[in-house]
Amino acid sequence: MCGGCVQKEYPDRGSTCLENGSYLLNYVGCAKCNQRDFVMIDNRVTEDDDGEEIVTYDHVCKNCHHIIARHEYTFSVVDEYQEYTMLCMLCGKAEDSISVLPDDPRQTAPLF
């Protein structure tokens, strides 16, 4: 992984968890070949580990195949919530939780 290829290492992305793709606004260019071109996805692996889906892949320079960053995305269902996380030097860090119920109990207003 290369800190010279990104503007900011592990930027806070709030609840934006990417299973696929690249956060190109944070990409300044390849530190190895000094080109700013498309970022390719390489070595993509999807695993299912005891009900948790883990997707990992490398962000790679299109021109010289320099590894820019390693991306990790996880998805799981805990109790009645879908849990998402993302950790990547290029795309950032993020977490999200969404209720599987039609009405999220956390969003309801108190009656009294």
Side-chain angles (χ1 to χ4, degrees):
M1 296 192 310
C2 182
C5 297
V6 298
Q7 282 183 7
K8 182 177 180 183
E9 294 183 15
Y10 302 99
D12 184 6
R13 298 291 304 281
S15 62
T16 303
C17 296
L18 303 173
E19 177 182 357
N20 206 354
S22 305
Y23 183 45
L24 295 178
L25 291 176
N26 193 35
Y27 180 58
V28 293
C30 180
K32 185 175 178 185
C33 70
N34 297 316
Q35 298 290 316
R36 187 170 195 277
D37 208 338
F38 292 106
V39 174
M40 296 186 335
I41 292 175
D42 198 17
N43 301 322
R44 183 181 164 96
V45 177
T46 302
E47 298 176 24
D48 188 9
D49 184 21
D50 197 27
E52 180 178 58
E53 179 183 357
I54 303 169
V55 177
T56 57
Y57 57 87
D58 296 328
H59 295 285
V60 179
C61 173
K62 175 186 171 191
N63 298 306
C64 69
H65 302 287
H66 171 71
I67 297 176
I68 298 161
R70 179 113 176 120
H71 190 102
E72 182 175 302
Y73 166 87
T74 63
F75 167 79
S76 62
V77 177
V78 178
D79 295 327
E80 296 177 345
Y81 294 93
Q82 295 176 338
E83 304 285 337
Y84 302 88
T85 64
M86 174 183 73
L87 184 62
C88 176
M89 185 184 295
L90 175 64
C91 299
K93 56 186 175 185
E95 293 181 353
D96 197 10
S97 178
I98 301 170
S99 175
V100 297
L101 301 173
D103 296 318
D104 189 342
R106 297 175 296 191
Q107 303 296 325
T108 59
L111 296 174
F112 300 99

